[in-house]
Amino acid sequence: MKFIANLLATLINLATLLGVGLAFCVAALTRDLPDHRALATWEPAVSTRLYAGDGAMIAQYARERRLFLPIGAVPARVKQAFLSAEDKNFYLHPGIDLSSLATALWSNVANYGSGRRMIGGSTITQQIAKNFLLSSDRTFERKLREAILSIRIDQTYSKDRILELYLNDIYLGLGAYGIAQAALTYFDKSVDQLTVAEAAYLAALPKAPNNYDPYRHPDRAVTRRDWVIEQMRRNGVIDRDVAAAATALPLGIKPKRQEASAEKADYFAEEVRRQLGSRYGEAALYTAGLSVRTTLDPRLQQAAMQALRNGLVAYDQAKGYRGPIARLPSLDGWQRALAKRQPLLDVPEWRLAVVLSAAKDTAELGLRPSGTEAQATAPADTVAIDRDDNGWALCRLTEGRRRCTPSLDGVLSPGDIVYVEKLEIGYVLRQPPQVQGALVSMDPNTGRVLAVAGGFSYAQSEFNRATQAYRQPGSSFKPFVYAAALDTGYAPTTLVMDAPIAIPDGTGKTWQPKNYDGRFSGPSTLRTGLENSRNLMTVRLARHLGMDLVADYGKRFGIYDELRSYLPMALGAGETTLLRLVSAYAVIANGGKAVTPSMIDRIQDRYGRTIYRQDSRHCTDCNALTWENQEEPVLVDNRDYVLDPMTAYQITSMMRGVVERGTARNVATLGVPIAGKTGTTNDEKDVWFVGFTPGIVTGVFLGYDTPKPMGYGETGGGLAAPIFIDFMKVALQGRPVADFHPPAGMTFQPVDRKTGRPAEEGAPGAIIEAFKPGTGPCDGSCAIIDDREMAELPGDDADAGLSPELREKLLNNTGGLY
């Protein structure tokens, strides 16, 4: 008995010591253990996605490409596929699975010394503990800490919450994190559309995605998928027939298709990305999982980029061929050398090629293999080009002079690297234009930006000329000078003298603006002055109004933040962006209401909650549950008026004259009611056209990034307007165009367009003019704005803030504006 008592006492002491030791061990392991409660607020890094107005995705921004999917939206077959592959007892164990640990231990002992990798028998909960809270070190200490954390996690969170964390966090290869993104990446479908075979393949990936890559290791991928299907059968998730049918299927990988709208929307998407970064910060942009519905119209975006590119290429080719973009020193191994060169990825119709031989009438070219990853070992693809199809390239600019040759070998040499495009007539030479430009199209009633083309190619230059380039608008600013006059009591028939002016500048010099054509028309109506873009009339009008008022209108319409009150500014000598100018024209187009340009309609967070909405209008009766003969709900438009609606109609009517009789007569070929204005700056450095119907306003700008003359005679009507026409041909398809409706109270009377006097309707030169109440045409001795005592330009004494550079710029603005 004494022996037994001593033995029991010894065992109790050993157990106590073991317990104390274990307690100290656990205390040591848990002393700096991460707080598992942090998982309650954990949100995975989720992709921010941009969608066009029709729902097509146009861009995605992420550090980890992931879409968050609540566990309630995951089908049972998908959950069971992952549980069968990773943790079949997930809903039964307390965070660690002792039977799996024992199996893993036995397997590791049996494989000891074989070189095989040790397995851990980890549960999904343990993987959560390791991935979220611990390191990936394969040590005994880390495994113990992982087990302790797993038990705590299982006691704190529901099984569904743990599984939700796991299914949204895991990396599944090809850059996809989480099952929602993986379903799109591998099969181009949502999770709820996955078949048993597809779900099993995704469930096969967590252990080693690279080992089961469907492109590099298709046999391994199928074997592992079939193993998962078998586990699902053994666990009773599917029956034998379903399992057999699933294993008989191929992998069926279907990469997510490229959205057509994304090919041309880079400038638009980048501008939205900048706005999101400014609003929420760069970190949130790449991790917050925002769903952004933009205002983009994919059809119009494609038309915008195509119209702008065609216009830039047409202008550039008219200036002649500049030579190859590069040269190969030798044609030996030309395929490999050409494959190393990156083409313009967003202009896929242009192919890089190297000249292999050139003769008088034909040249042989070797094409770079198509695709983003050209294979230098692909079979040689050669084409021939003809002299007759490439006549533009027979002339080239040398030392600023245009020199032409009658043969192709005069401009092409073996080793030249060039671009070619395949047309119906065959392959033709192309060259990236040096001139740049932009196009913006907007809904004038809402400010929704429908399309943005910021340059020839985003791959060539990411600088967005639509939103970032500040340029002189030239005569396209004149409508706002005339609007200021009409708001102040002038009428479209008011006469202004079109005659030479010489204005002292206060330092002994004079400013002498001119009309573009160098001619003078004498007394002319405001309408005639705007239709024909007469600079001298505009200067006189601005002088009578006062440049402070003109500057205020430039600011009121959002064209400028500040505009100095100098007369040359009335001719568009200030600097603004195309987007701001188009927004200002939208105010006129919609009848005078304020317009805030927007590229974002709505932003939702990762849970689908709307956190931003552009449309702030209220509708108190829109959410009625039933109809009880009440009136239809009305959206209240609480925007302020920037311009008198009657003035907006008058200036619109005058700008319709620009299209029908003035500097943009070619736009009338569209055959619908359109108003607009051309703009050309001094020395033809910038050319513009902005035009609108009641439902869409579009602006076009062309110019070199480093301003320089585009050539004598190049104007907004000749360069920008044709691009506008090409775009609007697409934009107007299927879009009914109503006429511009005058506000109530206006009167209409036939007048002579030149003199402004009453005329017989239908008489030569007669038009129907719109008048505000209490105004009308002059029927007698008409006053003429002809101020002979013009104000001086500010001198150094008048404005110490006027720098010599600005003074010189203003004096040089002699009025080559059209």
Side-chain angles (χ1 to χ4, degrees), residues 138-156:
R138 300 184 67 82
T139 64
F140 182 71
E141 179 182 347
R142 199 269 297 164
K143 289 295 291 183
L144 286 177
R145 290 160 61 86
E146 176 187 292
I148 295 170
L149 270 176
S150 299
I151 294 172
R152 291 182 178 181
I153 290 171
D154 195 83
Q155 292 173 342
T156 305

Side-chain angles (χ1 to χ4, degrees), residues 161-185:
R161 172 57 177 167
I162 296 170
L163 187 58
E164 180 181 74
L165 293 175
Y166 174 76
L167 293 177
N168 283 286
D169 177 68
I170 49 175
Y171 178 65
L172 295 171
L174 299 186
Y177 289 81
I179 57 171
Q181 182 64 56
L184 290 172
T185 300

Side-chain angles (χ1 to χ4, degrees), residues 132-450:
F132 286 74
L133 303 173
L134 298 172
S135 69
S136 297
D137 298 338
R138 300 184 67 82
T139 64
F140 182 71
E141 179 182 347
R142 199 269 297 164
K143 289 295 291 183
L144 286 177
R145 290 160 61 86
E146 176 187 292
I148 295 170
L149 270 176
S150 299
I151 294 172
R152 291 182 178 181
I153 290 171
D154 195 83
Q155 292 173 342
T156 305
Y157 304 103
S158 69
K159 290 288 188 178
D160 281 347
R161 172 57 177 167
I162 296 170
L163 187 58
E164 180 181 74
L165 293 175
Y166 174 76
L167 293 177
N168 283 286
D169 177 68
I170 49 175
Y171 178 65
L172 295 171
L174 299 186
Y177 289 81
I179 57 171
Q181 182 64 56
L184 290 172
T185 300
Y186 288 97
F187 302 110
D188 191 24
K189 59 175 61 174
S190 59
V191 171
D192 64 308
Q193 296 175 317
L194 292 175
T195 65
V196 169
E198 291 165 346
Y201 174 66
L202 295 186
L205 293 170
K207 289 295 185 186
N210 292 335
N211 290 347
Y212 308 115
D213 185 293
Y215 302 108
R216 292 184 296 173
H217 308 295
D219 293 338
R220 291 186 198 170
V222 171
T223 300
R224 177 68 178 175
R225 181 206 65 177
D226 292 349
W227 177 85
V228 176
I229 293 173
E230 176 61 16
Q231 298 306 306
M232 295 175 71
R233 186 196 66 77
R234 290 185 179 183
N235 294 336
V237 178
I238 57 177
D239 60 30
R240 188 178 300 276
D241 291 340
V242 172
T247 54
L249 294 172
L251 279 179
I253 300 300
K254 181 184 177 184
K256 181 170 175 54
R257 63 187 180 277
Q258 180 76 4
E259 301 289 352
S261 59
E263 296 174 3
K264 308 290 185 183
D266 295 311
Y267 285 110
F268 186 99
E270 175 59 17
E271 180 60 29
V272 174
R273 189 199 68 80
R274 281 195 291 265
Q275 292 181 20
L276 293 173
S278 176
R279 181 185 294 270
Y280 300 109
E282 289 294 313
L285 173 65
Y286 290 96
T287 62
L290 304 176
S291 177
V292 183
R293 179 61 65 96
T294 73
T295 60
L296 183 79
D297 184 318
R299 183 176 67 92
L300 298 190
Q301 180 63 35
Q302 295 233 18
M305 285 301 302
Q306 196 60 52
L308 180 63
R309 283 176 179 168
N310 290 345
L312 295 175
V313 168
Y315 169 84
D316 187 73
Q317 290 187 171
K319 298 299 180 182
Y321 181 60
R322 293 189 300 274
I325 62 174
R327 281 189 54 80
L328 295 181
S330 170
L331 290 177
D332 294 336
W334 65 265
Q335 275 189 286
R336 185 175 301 278
L338 197 58
K340 292 179 180 178
R341 301 194 66 89
Q342 186 71 274
L344 297 173
L345 297 180
D346 57 346
V347 193
E349 58 269 27
W350 286 22
R351 301 264 311 263
L352 278 174
V354 61
V355 178
L356 301 177
S357 64
K360 178 182 178 180
D361 296 322
T362 186
E364 184 183 18
L365 279 66
L367 296 178
R368 179 186 188 273
S370 60
T372 57
E373 296 182 2
Q375 298 296 319
T377 57
D381 190 1
T382 61
V383 298
I385 63 171
D386 296 327
R387 180 189 62 177
D388 294 341
D389 298 334
N390 292 275
W392 75 270
L394 298 180
C395 296
R396 62 188 305 172
L397 296 177
T398 304
E399 297 178 353
R401 298 186 61 183
R402 186 179 176 89
R403 306 178 192 275
C404 298
T405 178
S407 59
L408 273 177
D409 56 2
V411 293
L412 295 178
S413 301
D416 287 355
I417 297 178
V418 296
Y419 276 105
V420 293
E421 180 181 7
K422 186 177 182 181
L423 304 179
E424 291 183 2
I425 58 174
Y427 280 89
V428 295
L429 288 170
R430 292 292 187 230
Q431 65 182 5
Q434 290 182 334
V435 70
Q436 285 289 353
L439 185 152
V440 170
S441 190
M442 175 187 297
D443 182 334
N445 299 299
T446 62
R448 299 176 73 249
V449 178
L450 305 175

Side-chain angles (χ1 to χ4, degrees), residues 466-522:
T467 61
Q468 295 176 298
Y470 279 80
R471 306 295 286 251
Q472 293 181 344
S475 293
S476 55
F477 177 67
K478 287 177 182 174
F480 305 97
V481 179
Y482 285 77
L486 295 172
D487 260 355
T488 314
Y490 296 76
T493 53
T494 300
L495 295 175
V496 180
M497 180 60 71
D498 184 15
I501 304 173
I503 308 172
D505 76 334
T507 64
K509 297 182 180 180
T510 59
W511 179 53
Q512 299 182 37
K514 301 175 183 177
N515 289 328
Y516 187 82
D517 58 10
R519 295 181 293 184
F520 317 103
S521 303

